[in-house]
């Protein structure tokens, strides 16, 4: 189950990035909804993945030690999911702004996409099969 969820989480990442680029360059209610809702799916997959991931569960068992040494476990326990949640909030804020016709929607979407780009584990395989 862990491998299947990891594969799905990885594939949805590319959809989120594609919709993120679409909404930044052409902000609108439709593109914003695709971005925000696909990102919501990605975060839900990530939360479920955290519950079944041996890396995440092992890191939680030794949280103090993990937080004292930089590395892959610390990245996933402390940084990866926080960036995703903040980006999710920014994406939904942007969606709300674009639905109200406010010009600052693009800023929210751009911030969400930028934070996502910083939160993606680029040191991991780009495609998992």
């Amino acid at each position: 189950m862990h491998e299947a969820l990891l594969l799905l989480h990885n594939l949805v990442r590319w959809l989120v990035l594609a919709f993120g680029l679409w909404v930044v360059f052409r902000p609108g209610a439709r593109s914003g909804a695709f971005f925000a809702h696909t990102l919501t799916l990605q975060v839900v997959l990530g939360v479920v993945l955290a519950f079944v991931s041996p890396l995440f569960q092992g890191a939680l068992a030794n949280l103090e030690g993990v937080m004292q040494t930089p590395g892959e476990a610390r990245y996933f326990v402390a940084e990866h999911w926080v960036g995703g949640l903040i980006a999710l909030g920014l994406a939904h804020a942007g969606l709300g702004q674009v639905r109200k016709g406010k010009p600052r929607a693009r800023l929210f979407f751009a911030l969400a996409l930028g934070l996502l780009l910083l939160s993606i584990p680029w040191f991991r395989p780009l495609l998992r099969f």
Side-chain angles (χ1 to χ4, degrees):
M1 180 170 179
H2 170 258
E3 288 298 320
L5 280 171
L6 194 58
L7 172 67
L8 192 57
H9 189 65
N10 181 276
L11 292 175
V12 172
R13 160 186 32 179
W14 298 108
L15 286 174
V16 170
L17 290 176
F19 290 140
L21 289 172
W22 180 29
V23 76
V24 166
F25 290 109
R26 298 190 133 236
R30 185 172 184 206
S31 59
F34 272 99
F35 178 55
H37 297 312
T38 307
L39 182 54
T40 301
L41 172 64
Q42 180 73 336
V43 168
V44 168
L45 286 171
V47 168
V48 173
L49 188 58
F51 282 105
V52 298
S53 169
L55 174 74
F56 197 87
Q57 293 303 314
L60 287 180
N62 182 25
L63 192 57
E64 186 176 333
V66 167
M67 295 305 289
Q68 291 176 354
T69 57
E72 188 174 358
R74 177 181 165 169
Y75 173 77
F76 285 108
V77 168
E79 298 156 11
H80 179 64
W81 67 272
V82 172
L85 283 178
I86 294 171
L88 179 64
L90 289 168
H92 279 280
L95 181 58
Q97 293 295 306
V98 80
R99 286 181 174 164
K100 292 178 184 176
K102 305 266 176 125
R104 64 179 165 218
R106 185 180 294 212
L107 174 64
F108 284 107
F109 291 133
L111 288 172
L113 183 59
L115 188 55
L116 284 175
L117 289 171
L118 291 174
S119 298
I120 291 175
W122 296 108
F123 54 87
R124 285 278 181 102
L126 296 179
L127 291 172
R128 290 181 173 269
F129 291 108

